Amino acid sequence: MRSYRRSHLGALEDEAVHVLRELAAERERPCLLFSGGKDSIVLLRLAEKAFRPARFPFPLLHVDTGHNFPETIAYRDRRVAELGERLIVARVQDSIDAGRVAEETGPRASRNRLQTTTLLDALEAHQFDAAIGGARRDEERARAKERIFSHRDELGQWDPKQQRPELWALYNGRLRRGEHLRVFPLSNWTELDVWQYIELEDIPLPEIYFAHERAIFERDRMLYAHNPFITLLPGETVRTAEVRFRTIGDMTCTGAVSSPARTLAEVIAEVAAARVTERGATRADDRATEAAMEDRKREGYF
């Protein structure tokens, strides 16, 4: 079983490394989206495999809502310092201050959707022609419509009916002025693959991916970390529980799961038994409508 898993993950690694090198050869100004979440952490390891001992041929870009988990930001900064790579932080707060987006209000307010404008502005300001992301096709059904080299028009928008065919692992990186690509080396990975690769490569993670005691409250059948960015509704109470996070995003829309899994082996066993995707179970922004993710992606979301 161990040798099978190694060969399976080895094939996925080879494909991802090929995608990264192909992008570096075809485009002049790519960037890698790095949030400190597990998928982007795996992307960093794959970039090391693709380009070390040389420096990465692209900087790292994080779109920061200002409402991120402190543990994730601390990990992000520590990992970037260890790698000695360049990190660009595009802040949603700067977009709000500049009048580019309007802050949502109310107990269900979130900055998650506002990230789209901040991202598109950052890509334009730095003249990036490709952005490497950690999206996987098993996350959410709109993701399954993506190509590995996913084309975006001059407005940064995505049209699933206008994507280019990718036959025999041949990727079309040609662009007209103002267009760019989103590139997804983990397209053929699953959440379980990611966790098994993390175990195989012994990659350190933010501690909130493992079970810990945390102040939480329940809303809409989700467990939220108690934080200063969410106003409690009448009847909502804060309690302490043992939880972990399957996915990490903005604190206002990311839920935890009850879990005793404190080791990689326990997390892997838990993920293998799961019957709901990580985003479907713990991301409130994906529950807004049946096509919530696809609507955001059409506007230019990750």
Side-chain angles (χ1 to χ4, degrees):
M1 178 63 72
R2 183 75 176 182
S3 61
Y4 167 77
R5 190 170 74 181
R6 185 178 295 275
S7 65
H8 168 66
L9 295 176
L12 291 174
E13 179 188 81
D14 289 346
E15 179 189 51
V17 166
H18 168 69
V19 168
L20 289 169
R21 289 174 174 167
E22 187 73 10
L23 174 64
E26 290 200 35
R27 300 311 317 163
E28 296 180 359
R29 297 184 62 84
C31 65
L32 188 150
L33 300 173
F34 179 59
S35 65
K38 67 181 184 306
D39 299 316
S40 62
I41 290 169
V42 166
L43 277 182
L44 285 191
R45 177 56 56 88
L46 293 168
E48 290 183 83
K49 296 286 184 80
F51 304 113
R52 286 295 195 241
R55 294 283 299 276
F56 295 168
F58 39 69
L60 311 180
L61 173 64
H62 181 210
V63 178
D64 186 353
T65 66
H67 294 171
N68 299 98
F69 289 91
E71 298 96 326
T72 311
I73 297 300
Y75 178 95
R76 179 201 71 183
D77 293 342
R78 183 171 66 253
R79 191 74 185 101
V80 170
E82 291 168 353
L83 290 170
E85 296 292 342
R86 178 188 174 205
L87 173 67
I88 298 169
V89 180
R91 294 179 171 83
V92 171
Q93 185 62 54
D94 292 340
S95 299
I96 295 170
D97 295 342
R100 293 283 295 144
V101 294
E103 179 91 79
E104 295 181 8
T105 59
R108 299 182 187 275
S110 173
R111 290 184 172 183
N112 200 54
R113 196 179 188 104
L114 307 185
Q115 294 179 87
T116 298
T117 298
T118 306
L119 171 62
L120 293 176
D121 286 351
L123 296 178
E124 182 178 2
H126 295 278
Q127 298 183 322
F128 291 132
D129 55 15
I132 306 162
R136 308 183 321 271
R137 288 174 179 162
D138 72 323
E139 284 183 79
E140 200 277 343
R141 51 194 169 182
R143 299 287 201 196
K145 298 181 181 180
E146 286 280 15
R147 298 292 192 267
I148 292 178
F149 273 39
S150 182
H151 175 263
R152 297 297 194 270
D153 66 19
E154 64 277 3
L155 299 177
Q157 296 179 336
W158 174 70
D159 183 350
K161 296 180 180 180
Q162 297 298 321
Q163 297 302 302
R164 300 160 176 176
E166 291 179 341
L167 305 176
W168 306 295
L170 297 176
Y171 306 113
N172 185 347
R174 295 180 180 179
L175 296 172
R176 298 185 181 91
R177 184 179 296 275
E179 298 175 339
H180 73 274
L181 298 171
R182 305 288 173 83
V183 178
F184 302 111
L186 304 184
S187 287
N188 292 322
W189 297 52
T190 65
E191 182 186 6
L192 184 59
D193 292 329
V194 167
W195 279 106
Q196 290 178 334
Y197 188 77
I198 288 168
E199 181 188 43
L200 191 66
E201 290 289 311
D202 194 23
I203 303 173
L205 294 173
E207 57 270 27
I208 62 175
Y209 275 119
F210 302 97
H212 59 284
E213 296 290 323
R214 199 175 198 101
I216 58 97
F217 67 94
E218 186 170 353
R219 176 182 294 179
D220 302 328
R221 302 190 308 280
M222 284 177 54
L223 302 178
Y224 289 91
H226 182 49
N227 66 82
F229 310 117
I230 300 181
T231 302
L232 295 179
L233 294 170
E236 293 179 341
T237 58
V238 177
R239 60 185 174 87
T240 300
E242 186 178 42
V243 299
R244 72 175 188 88
F245 291 85
R246 288 179 68 182
T247 183
I248 299 176
D250 190 298
M251 295 178 75
T252 62
C253 62
T254 303
V257 293
S258 296
S259 170
R262 294 179 177 269
T263 67
L264 277 173
E266 291 171 341
V267 169
I268 288 170
E270 195 172 85
V271 171
R275 292 295 177 265
V276 181
T277 66
E278 60 195 281
R279 294 190 68 95
T282 62
R283 291 298 289 269
D285 48 328
D286 290 342
R287 295 182 173 190
T289 68
E290 287 291 324
M293 172 63 81
E294 183 162 335
D295 291 341
R296 294 201 307 279
K297 284 174 60 62
R298 286 177 181 273
E299 297 169 359
Y301 189 74
F302 306 126

